[in-house]
Amino acid sequence: PKRPGASPPRPLRASCDDRGYPFVGIRFRGIIASPRVHLLVCLAFHGLRPGSPRAYQASHLDGVPEHTSPENLAWETVRANHARRFQHGTALCGEDNPTAKLTWAAVAEIRRQYAAGGVAQHQLARQFGVSQTAISKICLGRRWGRAI
């Protein structure tokens, strides 16, 4: 039975967010939600998330956000999903990260100057506009590990 004043059901139209993930707008009893399509598909075809949202994510097995077919999605731990990004080359590392303050060339120069000696980490930090902690992590290989 149709509620008075209710609009007829219609197919959902997907839009993409700024990272390329399709989402749909859903409104029910005055509540508006915009879930991502891959989450809805994963729920429908793979069941409930096996753990908390902080522990499990709906992972695109091929790394393409627009591919939301059930066979391309799986619940994976955050760690496994992050590792998969490195496999498909979609991880935002180094210069690919939009918030990066350094380039691969700058990192190589930092390492070269520090290895040559005569320059302190705090001086390099000032020269390159980053913190001393960032310089330390670069020199120890804990950050920017894939530098040339």
Side-chain angles (χ1 to χ4, degrees):
K2 187 177 172 191
R3 291 182 304 134
S7 45
R10 58 184 169 78
L12 297 174
R13 247 183 309 146
S15 300
C16 284
D17 66 15
D18 58 347
R19 292 175 51 208
Y21 290 94
F23 69 93
V24 291
I26 301 172
R27 188 171 138 181
F28 181 70
R29 295 186 180 163
I31 298 171
I32 299 172
S34 301
R36 289 181 173 171
V37 172
H38 67 280
L39 290 174
L40 296 175
V41 173
C42 218
L43 280 166
F45 291 92
H46 301 296
L48 294 174
R49 201 182 299 244
S52 78
R54 288 177 171 242
Y56 284 86
Q57 297 174 333
S59 176
H60 293 82
L61 303 179
D62 68 355
V64 181
E66 298 87 12
H67 295 172
T68 57
S69 63
E71 47 287 333
N72 186 49
L73 299 171
W75 293 118
E76 286 192 318
T77 64
V78 173
R79 177 173 279 179
N81 194 18
H82 186 69
R84 189 177 294 281
R85 287 186 222 151
F86 285 98
Q87 291 171 355
H88 348 101
T90 56
L92 294 177
C93 296
E95 289 178 348
D96 295 334
N97 188 325
T99 64
K101 294 182 179 179
L102 299 170
T103 62
W104 289 112
V107 169
E109 180 60 17
I110 289 167
R111 288 184 173 144
R112 187 194 66 73
Q113 286 186 33
Y114 189 72
V119 62
Q121 289 182 1
H122 70 88
Q123 292 169 314
L124 289 169
R126 195 173 311 115
Q127 179 183 344
F128 288 93
V130 295
S131 69
Q132 182 274 321
T133 303
I135 297 294
S136 174
K137 289 179 179 180
I138 288 168
C139 293
L140 292 170
R142 293 184 184 154
R143 292 290 183 267
W144 290 79
R146 291 171 170 72
I148 343 172

